[in-house]
Amino acid sequence: MDTANHRIRKSTTSGAFVAKWGTFGSGDGQFHLPSGVAVAPDGSVYVADRDNHRIQKFTASGAFVAKWGTEGWFDGQHGQFIYPFDGEFWSPYGVAVAPDGSVYVADTGNHRIRKSTASNEFVTKWGTEGSGDGQFRLPGGVAVAPDGSVYVADTWNDRIQKFTASGVFVTKWGTRGSGDGEFDVPNGVAVAPDGSVYVADTGNERIQKFSASGAFVTKWGTEGSGDGEFDILNGVAVAPDGSVYVADSENCRIQKFTASGVFVTKWGTPGSGDGEFLGPGGVAVAPDGSVYVADTGNSRIQVFSVTLP
């Protein structure tokens, strides 16, 4: 997603630019700070169009299919009692697609997760503001495991929560800090084909890897602009082959790693041209290995292959 340019772009498996879509605005196929992107098993692309408070659905080549969501929220702090209904969002940041095609949205400003069918038939929702089990504080990321389990990056509670596909609480882990298994405003979460869980530990400028039940496995990354270093990483995704992609936002690039954190390659520089980014916020991998990037500051989507030319 090419956020600053408000468009989507697609590249071949060699990394060569192929297409793009989107301009700044609120019309069909337009974006206002797109922050999350997900690819369904059938290749459909879903975009969390954050400041338009909606989800947009496209074909793999960027043709507009559908949109859903309107602005709605409950702000008790400021005395604005505007209850968010089932089809309303407030700054949705993350989106994920389950193996069965169900779509999960991190409705960030409303502190909840919403589940629907691929055609936006409402299924369920869960979450209220708070720090208890099943509660959230501005959840930024959501991911679905091969077995249908749902993981949520509960950003301002500095933890990960795990649920069943229907939203039943299973477990949680994490407290604020910089030690193993601790977090500082984690914004992204992804699940590998083997069930491993990767977390974009944004404030600590690192990726942490866990087992499906939350046992710490490994970590990598420090603040900087070198290979394997990050500056406000936001999105993380895992490819079918287990490769890990990270949206390194302030460095305006994507970095690729092995499943154990060994640096493989990187691409992107600041700008609005093909293959350039402005604060990329989300990344997703299609079944065919194509990499889709929510290029937030350019308000667009860009797509690349798993290797660079």
Side-chain angles (χ1 to χ4, degrees):
M1 180 182 301
D2 187 359
T3 307
N5 286 319
H6 310 280
R7 63 187 180 184
I8 298 293
R9 298 169 59 187
K10 183 175 182 178
S11 300
T12 65
T13 54
S14 65
F17 171 77
V18 174
K20 61 190 175 187
W21 67 90
T23 58
F24 176 77
S26 58
D28 296 348
Q30 295 182 317
F31 305 105
H32 189 183
L33 296 180
S35 295
V37 60
V39 184
D42 68 358
S44 298
V45 180
Y46 295 82
V47 180
D49 189 7
R50 187 175 72 199
D51 277 20
N52 280 322
H53 310 288
R54 66 185 181 183
I55 299 296
Q56 292 197 68
K57 179 180 179 180
F58 302 89
T59 66
S61 58
F64 175 81
V65 176
K67 64 184 177 184
W68 60 86
T70 56
E71 181 177 342
W73 69 319
F74 174 83
D75 184 6
Q77 180 180 358
H78 297 93
Q80 298 174 340
F81 294 95
I82 307 171
Y83 188 80
F85 294 99
D86 293 343
E88 295 179 331
F89 300 112
W90 185 258
S91 298
Y93 198 93
V95 60
V97 185
D100 68 358
S102 298
V103 180
Y104 294 83
V105 178
D107 187 7
T108 306
N110 286 319
H111 313 284
R112 67 182 182 181
I113 300 296
R114 179 186 188 271
K115 178 183 180 180
S116 69
T117 66
S119 58
N120 190 35
E121 296 174 5
F122 176 78
V123 176
T124 190
K125 64 185 176 184
W126 69 90
T128 57
E129 184 176 6
S131 58
D133 296 347
Q135 294 184 312
F136 307 107
R137 284 204 171 98
L138 300 177
V142 59
V144 186
D147 68 358
S149 299
V150 179
Y151 293 82
V152 180
D154 189 6
T155 304
W156 286 97
N157 277 323
D158 298 300
R159 66 185 182 183
I160 299 296
Q161 292 197 69
K162 179 181 180 179
F163 302 87
T164 67
S166 58
V168 177
F169 175 80
V170 177
T171 190
K172 64 185 176 185
W173 69 90
T175 57
R176 187 172 181 83
S178 58
D180 295 347
E182 297 177 330
F183 303 108
D184 186 359
V185 292
N187 272 331
V189 60
V191 185
D194 68 357
S196 298
V197 179
Y198 294 83
V199 179
D201 188 7
T202 306
N204 284 320
E205 307 290 2
R206 66 185 181 183
I207 296 292
Q208 292 197 70
K209 179 181 179 179
F210 302 88
S211 71
S213 59
F216 176 80
V217 177
T218 191
K219 63 185 176 185
W220 69 89
T222 57
E223 184 174 4
S225 58
D227 296 346
E229 297 178 329
F230 305 109
D231 189 356
I232 307 185
L233 68 165
N234 277 315
V236 59
V238 186
D241 68 356
S243 299
V244 180
Y245 294 85
V246 180
D248 187 8
S249 297
E250 290 301 301
N251 282 322
C252 300
R253 65 186 182 182
I254 300 297
Q255 293 197 68
K256 177 183 178 180
F257 302 88
T258 67
S260 58
V262 177
F263 174 81
V264 177
T265 191
K266 63 185 176 185
W267 70 90
T269 56
S272 58
D274 296 348
E276 298 176 333
F277 305 108
L278 288 178
V283 60
V285 185
D288 68 358
S290 298
V291 178
Y292 289 73
V293 179
D295 187 4
T296 306
N298 283 317
S299 295
R300 63 185 180 186
I301 296 291
Q302 297 196 65
V303 188
F304 304 86
S305 70
V306 298
T307 59
L308 295 177

